[in-house]
Structures are given as C-alpha cells and as structure tokens.
Amino acid sequence: MTLLSIIAICLGFWLYPNINHFQTPPYKTEKPLTYLSKASAGPDGSMIVIGDSRQEIIRIGSKGSIEEVIRQDDATIRHDFTDIAVAADGTIYVLDTILDGYGLYVREERIVRYAIGDTKGTVLFTFEGSGTNKRVGLIKGLQVVKEDIYFYINEETNVQLNRLSAAGGKAEELLTFKLPADRYLSEIVGYAPDQIYYSTKRGAIFRVNAGGESELSYPLEGMDRTRKNFPEGLLLHENGKLYFIDRLVNAVTSMNAKDSSNLRTVIDEASLKTKAPHAESLDIMDLTMNTAGQMELALGDSIVSMDEAGSHTSVLTKLTYDRGSVVQGWITWLAAAVLLVILVMIIRLFYVHVLNRRISLFFKQVFAIVPILIIAMIMLSNFIYDSFSSKMEDEMQKQLSLLARNGQNMINGDQLNRLTSPNDYMSKDYESIRSKMNFLFESEDPANRKGLYSTLYRYENGEIFIIMDDDDGVNMYKPFPKNELNRLVVEKGEVVTDRWEDATGKWLYAIGPIYDSTNKIVGVYETGRDLNVLYQSNQTIYKSIMRNIGLISLVLIVLVLAVTYYLLSSLRKLRKSVMEMANGNWDVKVNIRSQDEVGDLGEQFNRMALHIRTYIKDITSFSEASHRFVPQQIFKYLGKKGITDIHLGDQVQQNMTVMVANIRSFHHLSKQLTPKQNFDFMNTFLKRFSPFVRTEEGLISKYLGAGFMALFPSRNEDALRAAVAIRRELVSYNESLKASGFAPVDLGMAIHKGPLMLGIVGEEQRMEGNVISDDVNITATLERMSDTMGASILVTRTFYEQLRSPERFRFRLLGRVRIDGKDDPIELIDVYEGDSDTERALKDRTKPLFEKGIMLCQEGRFFDARETFIEVIKINRFDKAAKLYFYLCDEYYQKGSTEGWNGTLAV
C-alpha cells in the first residue's frame, strides 16, 4: 500500500502540469476553426490567430497542425484578445482587453508576451481605461519590430506613438500627432515617419508625413469607390503596398502606399466563394502576409492562403493536433486511469488489511445516508438554479423585447434616412440618434447598466447596414447579413428575440423595427446582453445557492449522524456483549431497555448464550479428544472447519518440506525393554521432541515406530531450525537417559521438499490423515542413509537452495548419491549445525579438504581423491562419509570404476 501511495503521489504531481490535456479527449485529433477575429504571420510559415470569440490564441504550424493553444483563464472577469503581433522568433505579443463585470466597458488594457511554450504570459505594459470605451480600448496598432514593440494610444484628437522593449520596462513616447478636424481614429499601422497610415470612422485612410501632418490617401478623387466603401484591417507590407479590407463589398484591396496609385481589388467575395466553397462564413475578418509572400485571409471559420495572383490557393477549416500532442494526451488520460485504479486498490487494501474487511455499522449508514443527502441537495440546487436562470433569461428576453419595441419611439426614422454613408459619422443627426439610444442609460453608471448594449441598423434597398453599435471596434455602414429573423423585422415589423454568436462573443438580443414619417421601415433597433457575462452572473448566483444549500446540508448531516448514533446505542450494547462472548466470556448477558426489534434481539441473544454455554461444555470434551488424534492444520489445508466436515477421499496437493526423524538402532534398545517400557519410552521421547516441530509452525503427520514424520508448509527454514533444535536437545535428553540407566540414543534426520498429496485414506468406518508422495519415500530413504553418510541432518541440495539464508547453517557437500528406483542422482548436503561442539569444529576444519575430495572423486581422479580423504580422516577419524569415499576411491583406483559410472555414490 505504501508503494502504491508513492506511485499515486508521483502520478498526481506529473498530471497536474499536464491538466490542460483533459480539455480535449485523446481520440479527438482535429479542432475546427471558430469565430476568428485576428491573424498574424509567424516564422517558418506558421500562423497565429485569435479565435473562439476572442477567447483563445492558436499557433498553427505550416502544415495546419496545432502547435499551441492559449486560452483566457480568468473566470472572475471578462477578458478579450483584441490585437496580436508576432516576433521573428515566434514570441506572441497580444493586446488583452479587460472589460467590466458585464462585458461592456473597458477597464484596463494590457500588452502581454507569450514565449513559445508559455501559456501563462508576462504582462509588459498596462493602461487604465477611461471607463467610457466599449469593448475596444484606446491602444491601437500593436506591432513588433526586432526587439521593440510599437503601439499607439488614441486619446480624443491626439494619437501618441510609443515604443516598448520586448523585455518590458517603461514605454517611450516617440511621436504625437493630431487628427484632422471631425476625424476619428479607427485603425493604424506603421511606425516609421512618413510610413504611418490610419483609417478613420468616416471611411478614409490618411498618411502621417515626416512633419506629423495627416494627408488623405484614400479615397482620392477619381477613385472608383462608392460613398459606403469602408477600409478595415490595414496591412502595410514591405513591398510598399497598403492592403485593406473593403468592408462594404467584403473584398481585399491594395494600393501603392506612397502615392495611393495602382488601386485594385486583390480578391472579391465571388472569387473567395469559388476558392473556399465549403466555408460557412465568407466575411473577411483579418488579413496578413506570411514570410513566403502569400496572403492569409482569416474568415469566420477558415483560413484562405493565396498568392496575389490567386493561382495558388489553400483553405484550412480544421486543425490537426500534432502526433506528440496526441501521444501526450493518451499518456495523460491513461495515467489518470492508472491513478484511478491505484486509488481504488489503495482503498481496497486499506479496507482489507487495515480495517480487516470491517466497517462500523455507523459509518456504513453514514456512507449510505450522507451521499444520498448530498446528491439530493445538489439536485435541489441545480433544480433551483435551472428554474431561476431559466426564469431570469425569460425575464431578460421580455425586457429586451420591450426595449426593442420602444426603439421605434426613441429613434427618428427620418434622421436615420439622412445617414447615408460613413462620412455622416458623428454628424448632427448621428449625435441626435445616439443620445436617444442612450436615453435609457443616461442616469445610470456603467455598473447599473449591467452590460446592456444597443445597435442600430439601416435598412436600405433590401440590405442591412450597421450604423452605430456599443462596440467601438465596429465601424459605420458595415454590412450585416440578412436572415430569417431580421427579415421578420424589416418585412413584417415584428419584434424578435434570439441568441447570437460571432467573433466578438455570445449574445442574447431582441430586435425591432424603426419607422420613418411615412410609416416605412427604414431600420432595425437591437438591444441585448453579453451571454458570457450573464453566465458569469448566473454562476455567482449558483455558487451562492450551493453555499447556502451546503450549509443546510451540513446541518442536516450533523443531525442525521447524531440521531443515527443515538439509535445505534442499543446495537452497540449488543455488539459489546457479542464481542465479550467471542473472547470467551460465555457468562455475558446483554441489558437492552428499548422495546423494539433490537430489544427482542437482545432477549433472544441471552437465550442463545445460555444454550451455547450448555453446548460448549459438551463439544469441548469431544473437540479436545479429536485434536489429539488429528492435527488441526490438516483441516485447514483440506479447506475444512473441523473433524465433522472430513470425508473419505478429501485431498489436496501441496508443495511442502518433509522431515523424517528416527531413533537409530532402536530395535536393539527395544529388545532390552518390556512392551510397557517400549510404549513409555516412545511417549517420553515424542513428548520431548514434538514441541520443536510445532514451535516452527510444522505439523507431525505420522508417528513412526521409533520416530515421526513432520510437514512444514510455510518456510523452508522452519524445518531446518526445528531439526537443529532437536539435535541440540538430544544432548540433554541422552544425559537424562544415562541418569535413568539407559544407553544414549542417536537420531537420524533427513529433510527434502517436493509436491505431495495430503488427504484422508481408509474406509467409511475407519479413516486417517495420510501423505502420499514419492518425495516422502525419498526422505525416508535418506533418513536411513544418514547414519552411513555420517550426517546427523541429511538434506537434499534441492531443498537447501530454496533457503533464503543458507549461510546461517554450517554445512558441507556430500556429493551425488544414486537411490534405488530413481534414475537421476540426488545431491546431498550434511547440515552439522546441530552436532556437538567437537564434531562441528572437526567438520569446519576439514570442510575444504572434504569437498575437494568430493570434486576429485566426481571427476574420476580417484588417486588424488583417496589421498585427500586420507588427510581428512587423519584430522577427523570419526568422519564416516570420508571413510566411505576413501574405500570407494581406493577400490576404483585399484580395480577401475564400473561401466557407466557418472560420479555418483551408491549406498
């Protein structure tokens, strides 16, 4: 559980910085372009656009892949990306416009730098808004040249050029010029003297000469342009041309910047429709030139790339996530899934190993009731919120509908008829209409206006044009598409409410007709509200509802828990009594006063306890007797609860360590004893040595004539520790025998490990537990060989290699031995850890020589082996194994080995 917890923590730390990958499912490999507003060319054919209604910046690779997405992440107030510029190294500089709480008035403007890979951004410059500009502030013409950022601040009739280092710091004022009389700045490009161009709200383009004076560049006399043509999206290219969007006809126009010559249409709407037939919107939102000289046109939902001749065109409507992002997304989602699985495993392990699969009834009720209460309260909160927000939206629509209907009373249609071109911007009629439109808000400050906006449209010759709008970025006489809703207004005079989403945001609006003195519909009045702000306002209300419901839920939960705790008091008394009984207190008695089902249960418990006490007395006698005949571990391995569950043929296969211990030459001793003395002797012997087996978690499977066979199901070391302990106890046991007049005895012990069948044999009237396995027979054979091999504890190499720490026991190799009935030889080991101090010392001293002799013998070097064993015998004349090998090597040296001899010893 600790390891899983560490892995979970590491995964959590890794997932946190990659949390943005959860915004998009990993199987989603494409992202559609939506509501584009600005575009700027980046290095190496890349492009950076502002999309999603000014809420995100997308860095697009040369092949149409998404390299980076930057989103507005401030959920407390409305931010809009309104302008963008890109440096040669790919660094993005963006104008971040902060609006008031209702998304209408500009509170602050920031120039923010986003280096490649940085989605948080660094604020380089801040400009406080005047509180009167709507949706677009006073900073214009954001440009980046090498290490410098250029921008303009437009305050009334003065326009100020500023330079700011890309590293930040204080802005430096470079130039200030005045606008011509009755001219109002719309857009501006350029920064070098005599190369600054700006458009005005009246649809003209001026050039600022070296002296700071403004000269008209467009439209000049003789130019083929109507009174309604309006230039937007100015682009001053290094080729000396000035490009702009002719908003009236939705076309891109170019001219020589210096002398306004060579005016021509680069691409019109008809050509654009041919080049981008699948684009839902053909409105040109912005234009830019990439490093290859191609023009990039940002439509509402697509990007059209083309050269000026229009011969090479490509259209991009969907962006693809690069392979690295997709792989990273899958890894992130898979890591989250692994984290979830690990958390479930941790909970389960905690439940199994810490809580021992036990949870208090109180907590079970808590886990059952509290989620139900919380879910119910959340559903109630959502129901209240949905009802409230739906009603609030309905009320807002009714209010907007009423305001739109009143538009025909506030606005003079004859004055609207006299506004015939952008040149009428801020004229007497324009000012009069605007003052009437703002009449409803004259006595209210921006906070009380709550983001309500108004827009006036002119209906002329079956077309609709924007005349004035509560967005300072929208110019006069901008064409507006005709649709089913506004057709109901201009053709039938109906008032309509609906929703709208475009590159500037999401809106809830109402539109109504404007009539002139002849009762002819000449315009459309629109009023509405920013839905994003409405959603934010609703979220504030929702949080308030959730907070209040949360407090109520908390009080309810506390009350429910208190009542639950009180109601469970009787069960706790009963539980306490049951626990005492489980701990062996059979005389326990529960005292429950409540007159209910729990009280009945307590009374029945007392009766049950009485019957149990009687039954236990009877069963205890039987159980104690049965335990003495059948080891309880046998029931466990057979999956039985007790002797009453045992049936003939029950069996299970286990991989266990087998130990056989027998008194050597017991038949000589038994001849000297009477039958009763034989029984007494064996019972005394087994009583003395059997506990060492149980101490090491072994079980005695069978008592032999002069010993026993034991099984060790857990650790291999258990058998060896038990054997060593028995050997050491044998010393004191022999001393007691000597004191009683008996000759000392010696034990032969062998240990081996292998698969065996443990089960019940016999017939229905007589059964017993038994072990059947070839490895058991091998162990019994090895025990009989132990005396010949001079080993007190004889083990197989197969068993010894499975010990976790074999070096803790003194041992020596005895070589390979062939056993009758077995084709493969068995390698034996003499564990002399339990021998007497003298024997251990002698075997320690001769171990290297002895094992060397074994190796020489197996290699067939019988003379060398014989001489080595002679050296061993000289040191330890009691070494039976050395003598055995000496005679074998001497015989083989004198007569030669038998045919087919493979280095094994036949005993």
Side-chain angles (χ1 to χ4, degrees):
M1 190 163 66
T2 303
L3 178 60
L4 289 176
S5 300
I6 293 172
I7 295 174
I9 293 171
C10 292
L11 281 175
F13 277 110
W14 183 84
L15 284 171
Y16 181 74
N18 294 284
I19 197 170
N20 59 305
H21 287 284
F22 293 115
Q23 296 176 359
T24 306
Y27 55 81
K28 191 173 182 180
T29 59
E30 292 183 334
K31 174 182 174 65
L33 291 169
T34 56
Y35 305 113
L36 305 180
S37 59
K38 287 286 183 180
S40 182
D44 300 325
S46 64
M47 189 175 182
I48 291 85
V49 297
I50 296 177
D52 193 22
S53 303
R54 299 177 177 174
Q55 294 303 296
E56 70 179 10
I57 299 171
I58 307 174
R59 189 191 298 272
I60 306 171
S62 59
K63 296 183 179 179
S65 63
I66 299 174
E67 294 184 347
E68 190 173 37
V69 177
I70 301 169
R71 289 198 60 83
Q72 295 283 13
D73 57 359
D74 188 350
T76 61
I77 197 166
R78 176 64 184 262
H79 288 245
D80 282 346
F81 294 127
T82 52
D83 202 358
I84 193 170
V86 183
D89 63 354
T91 302
I92 300 172
Y93 298 90
V94 66
L95 181 60
D96 183 13
T97 302
I98 303 174
L99 306 178
D100 67 344
Y102 298 99
L104 183 61
Y105 291 97
V106 177
R107 288 177 45 183
E108 185 179 303
E109 295 178 87
R110 299 173 178 173
I111 297 176
V112 184
R113 179 185 67 215
Y114 291 96
I116 295 176
D118 174 20
T119 59
K120 298 300 180 182
T122 303
V123 177
L124 302 180
F125 179 79
T126 301
F127 183 77
E128 295 292 335
S130 63
T132 58
N133 297 92
K134 298 173 183 176
R135 298 200 181 102
V136 176
L138 299 178
I139 295 181
K140 307 282 186 180
L142 182 65
Q143 304 162 79
V144 57
V145 180
K146 296 182 179 179
E147 299 298 324
D148 293 320
I149 303 166
Y150 295 89
F151 62 94
Y152 294 85
I153 297 178
N154 175 32
E155 294 186 298
E156 297 182 354
T157 61
N158 293 328
V159 180
Q160 175 184 309
L161 173 61
N162 297 272
R163 181 172 60 194
L164 178 69
S165 171
K170 187 177 180 181
E172 175 188 1
E173 180 182 342
L174 299 179
L175 171 69
T176 299
F177 65 91
K178 284 186 175 295
L179 296 172
D182 297 327
R183 297 292 179 172
Y184 307 91
L185 184 66
S186 176
E187 299 177 24
I188 188 167
V189 295
Y191 63 93
D194 206 32
Q195 294 184 14
I196 299 173
Y197 296 84
Y198 66 89
S199 62
T200 68
K201 293 287 188 179
R202 290 191 170 184
I205 299 176
F206 288 84
R207 179 171 62 89
V208 180
N209 60 29
E213 300 296 329
S214 297
E215 299 175 352
L216 182 63
S217 294
Y218 173 89
L220 300 179
E221 290 186 11
M223 286 185 174
D224 183 20
R225 289 293 180 267
T226 69
R227 58 185 170 83
K228 298 176 184 177
N229 287 103
F230 198 99
E232 291 183 353
L234 303 183
L235 173 64
L236 181 61
H237 196 258
E238 59 186 13
N239 61 11
K241 290 185 179 182
L242 181 66
Y243 297 84
F244 57 87
I245 302 167
D246 192 330
R247 183 53 62 198
L248 178 67
V249 293
N250 193 38
V252 176
T253 301
S254 70
M255 67 181 185
N256 292 332
K258 193 169 181 110
D259 56 9
S260 303
S261 63
N262 195 25
L263 181 70
R264 72 183 191 90
T265 300
V266 178
I267 184 170
D268 57 18
E269 186 170 295
S271 300
L272 196 59
K273 188 173 184 179
T274 303
K275 297 179 184 301
H278 301 294
E280 293 184 8
S281 171
L282 293 175
D283 286 346
I284 304 174
M285 306 306 298
D286 198 13
L287 63 93
T288 185
M289 289 280 191
N290 62 23
T291 54
Q294 281 193 315
M295 182 179 296
E296 308 270 4
L297 303 181
L299 308 184
D301 58 357
S302 57
I303 298 172
V304 178
S305 301
M306 53 176 286
D307 57 18
E308 194 159 344
S311 58
H312 296 87
T313 306
S314 64
V315 180
L316 187 64
T317 58
K318 292 182 179 180
L319 306 178
T320 58
Y321 292 97
D322 63 89
R323 183 178 180 84
S325 298
V326 173
V327 172
Q328 183 72 11
W330 277 109
I331 292 174
T332 303
W333 280 79
L334 288 174
V338 171
L339 178 60
L340 180 61
V341 171
I342 289 175
L343 291 176
V344 172
M345 292 175 63
I346 290 174
I347 293 173
R348 186 180 183 281
L349 290 173
F350 183 81
Y351 169 69
V352 172
H353 297 289
V354 178
L355 298 180
N356 294 322
R357 301 180 183 272
R358 177 186 174 279
I359 300 178
S360 169
L361 181 60
F362 173 76
F363 287 108
K364 286 183 179 178
Q365 288 194 304
V366 169
F367 295 149
I369 295 173
V370 170
I372 293 174
L373 277 175
I374 292 175
I375 292 172
M377 288 302 174
I378 291 175
M379 293 177 64
L380 177 62
S381 302
N382 287 324
F383 175 76
I384 295 173
Y385 170 73
D386 291 340
S387 301
F388 174 81
S389 61
S390 177
K391 186 175 181 180
M392 187 175 178
E393 202 165 305
D394 291 341
E395 290 296 325
M396 178 61 68
Q397 286 182 333
K398 292 178 182 178
Q399 180 186 2
L400 295 176
S401 180
L402 179 62
L403 290 173
R405 192 178 300 278
N406 288 337
Q408 58 186 306
N409 300 322
M410 293 187 299
I411 298 171
N412 188 320
D414 294 331
Q415 290 179 327
L416 180 58
N417 277 333
R418 289 195 288 271
L419 302 177
T420 60
S421 73
N423 201 46
D424 292 322
Y425 180 76
M426 297 303 289
S427 66
K428 183 177 180 180
D429 289 327
Y430 187 97
E431 288 281 17
S432 175
I433 293 175
R434 189 171 70 167
S435 64
K436 290 179 181 178
M437 286 177 61
N438 292 331
F439 173 77
L440 292 175
F441 313 116
E442 282 181 354
S443 60
E444 303 181 19
D445 60 23
N448 293 329
R449 185 168 179 172
K450 297 183 179 179
L452 286 170
Y453 74 90
S454 57
T455 305
L456 180 62
Y457 302 89
R458 172 80 187 273
Y459 181 54
E460 179 182 349
N461 298 325
E463 295 182 298
I464 300 175
F465 303 93
I466 298 175
I467 300 300
M468 57 187 70
D469 185 79
D470 280 334
D471 184 340
D472 293 338
V474 178
N475 294 309
M476 187 175 174
Y477 257 94
K478 177 180 179 180
F480 191 83
K482 201 171 180 181
N483 55 45
E484 293 298 328
L485 293 179
N486 56 36
R487 186 176 287 111
L488 292 175
V489 177
V490 298
E491 295 179 1
K492 298 183 178 182
E494 296 183 11
V495 176
V496 180
T497 61
D498 198 15
R499 299 166 183 261
W500 176 261
E501 183 173 359
D502 59 15
T504 60
K506 301 176 183 178
W507 319 97
L508 179 68
Y509 70 93
I511 50 178
I514 303 297
Y515 298 89
D516 63 6
S517 58
T518 64
N519 205 32
K520 178 183 177 182
I521 297 177
V522 295
V524 177
Y525 175 71
E526 175 184 334
T527 183
R529 190 174 182 185
D530 190 335
L531 271 178
N532 288 321
V533 176
L534 181 62
Y535 293 154
Q536 289 177 359
S537 176
N538 287 346
Q539 284 298 312
T540 302
I541 297 171
Y542 180 71
K543 290 177 182 177
S544 176
I545 294 173
M546 288 296 292
R547 183 169 55 252
N548 293 330
I549 293 292
L551 292 174
I552 295 172
S553 301
L554 185 61
V555 173
L556 284 176
I557 290 171
V558 171
L559 290 176
V560 168
L561 295 183
V563 172
T564 301
Y565 186 81
Y566 172 75
L567 293 177
L568 291 177
S569 58
S570 298
L571 282 177
R572 286 195 298 276
K573 290 182 181 179
L574 183 60
R575 173 181 173 274
K576 182 180 179 182
S577 299
V578 172
M579 294 292 288
E580 289 186 17
M581 179 177 287
N583 290 329
N585 184 8
W586 308 112
D587 298 323
V588 66
K589 185 177 182 181
V590 64
N591 183 18
I592 298 177
R593 298 181 180 180
S594 59
Q595 301 298 317
D596 52 21
E597 290 85 349
V598 180
D600 297 340
L601 188 61
E603 182 179 348
Q604 295 303 317
F605 171 81
N606 291 331
R607 294 181 59 190
M608 179 186 69
L610 178 62
H611 289 297
I612 289 176
R613 285 192 292 271
T614 303
Y615 178 76
I616 285 176
K617 291 180 181 178
D618 298 334
I619 201 65
T620 299
S621 300
F622 173 78
S623 179
E624 289 176 350
S626 67
H627 289 178
R628 291 193 295 268
F629 285 91
V630 182
Q632 294 302 296
Q633 293 95 323
I634 292 181
F635 302 149
K636 174 184 175 182
Y637 297 124
L638 292 176
K640 307 297 182 180
K641 295 180 180 179
I643 195 169
T644 55
D645 293 334
I646 291 296
H647 300 285
L648 184 66
D650 288 341
Q651 56 184 286
V652 64
Q653 183 172 347
Q654 292 281 341
N655 199 33
M656 294 187 185
T657 300
V658 182
M659 181 177 74
V660 174
N662 252 322
I663 299 176
R664 292 172 178 167
S665 303
F666 179 70
H667 61 283
H668 295 297
L669 177 62
S670 64
K671 291 179 181 179
Q672 305 172 19
L673 304 176
T674 64
K676 181 178 184 306
Q677 288 177 325
N678 269 302
F679 270 99
D680 292 341
F681 177 84
M682 282 306 305
N683 287 333
T684 303
F685 170 80
L686 295 173
K687 182 178 180 181
R688 183 76 171 260
F689 294 100
S690 295
F692 291 101
V693 175
R694 290 191 293 273
T695 300
E696 299 299 336
E697 301 183 16
L699 64 98
I700 294 179
S701 171
K702 181 184 294 186
Y703 289 114
L704 307 174
F708 57 83
M709 181 177 72
L711 303 177
F712 294 86
S714 298
R715 296 170 296 273
N716 299 319
E717 286 80 357
D718 295 343
L720 205 50
R721 282 196 298 267
V724 171
I726 290 172
R727 288 297 306 178
R728 291 175 177 171
E729 180 66 18
L730 185 64
V731 176
S732 57
Y733 178 70
N734 281 331
E735 291 178 356
S736 64
L737 287 179
K738 187 176 180 180
S740 301
F742 293 101
V745 297
D746 193 12
L747 277 178
M749 305 180 74
I751 302 174
H752 183 46
K753 184 172 185 178
L756 52 83
M757 294 296 297
L758 178 66
I760 304 300
V761 298
E763 46 92 14
E764 291 296 338
Q765 301 302 317
R766 173 68 176 89
M767 295 180 287
E768 70 174 16
N770 200 355
V771 177
I772 300 173
S773 171
D774 187 45
D775 293 288
V776 172
N777 297 332
I778 291 174
T779 310
T781 301
L782 293 179
E783 183 277 322
R784 292 191 294 271
M785 292 170 52
S786 63
D787 186 27
T788 305
M789 299 298 294
S792 58
I793 304 173
L794 188 62
V795 304
T796 62
R797 190 179 188 89
T798 303
F799 161 79
Y800 205 74
E801 287 179 345
Q802 297 183 49
L803 296 175
R804 287 178 295 182
S805 301
E807 67 278 357
R808 296 171 53 189
F809 303 95
R810 287 184 174 90
F811 71 95
R812 64 176 183 174
L813 305 178
L814 291 178
R816 295 190 297 272
V817 177
R818 182 170 53 81
I819 298 178
D820 290 339
K822 299 293 291 184
D823 294 332
D824 297 326
I826 298 176
E827 191 167 355
L828 301 180
I829 294 176
D830 172 18
V831 178
Y832 55 89
E833 180 69 29
D835 290 5
S836 64
D837 294 341
T838 303
E839 291 173 334
R840 283 202 307 273
L842 290 172
K843 287 184 179 181
D844 282 341
R845 185 178 173 187
T846 59
K847 177 181 177 180
L849 277 174
F850 181 85
E851 292 182 345
K852 178 182 177 182
I854 295 291
M855 181 186 68
L856 293 172
C857 178
Q858 291 177 344
E859 293 176 353
R861 296 167 60 183
F862 300 119
F863 177 78
D864 295 333
R866 185 188 68 177
E867 297 303 312
T868 303
F869 287 120
I870 289 174
E871 295 298 322
V872 174
I873 297 170
K874 287 179 180 179
I875 299 173
N876 183 6
R877 59 190 180 89
F878 301 104
D879 194 333
K880 293 183 178 181
K883 293 178 180 179
L884 180 65
Y885 271 103
F886 167 76
Y887 291 123
L888 174 70
C889 292
D890 183 64
E891 181 181 354
Y892 283 173
Y893 175 69
Q894 297 291 341
K895 301 178 181 179
S897 59
T898 59
E899 183 178 355
W901 184 78
N902 58 359
T904 61
L905 180 66
V907 180

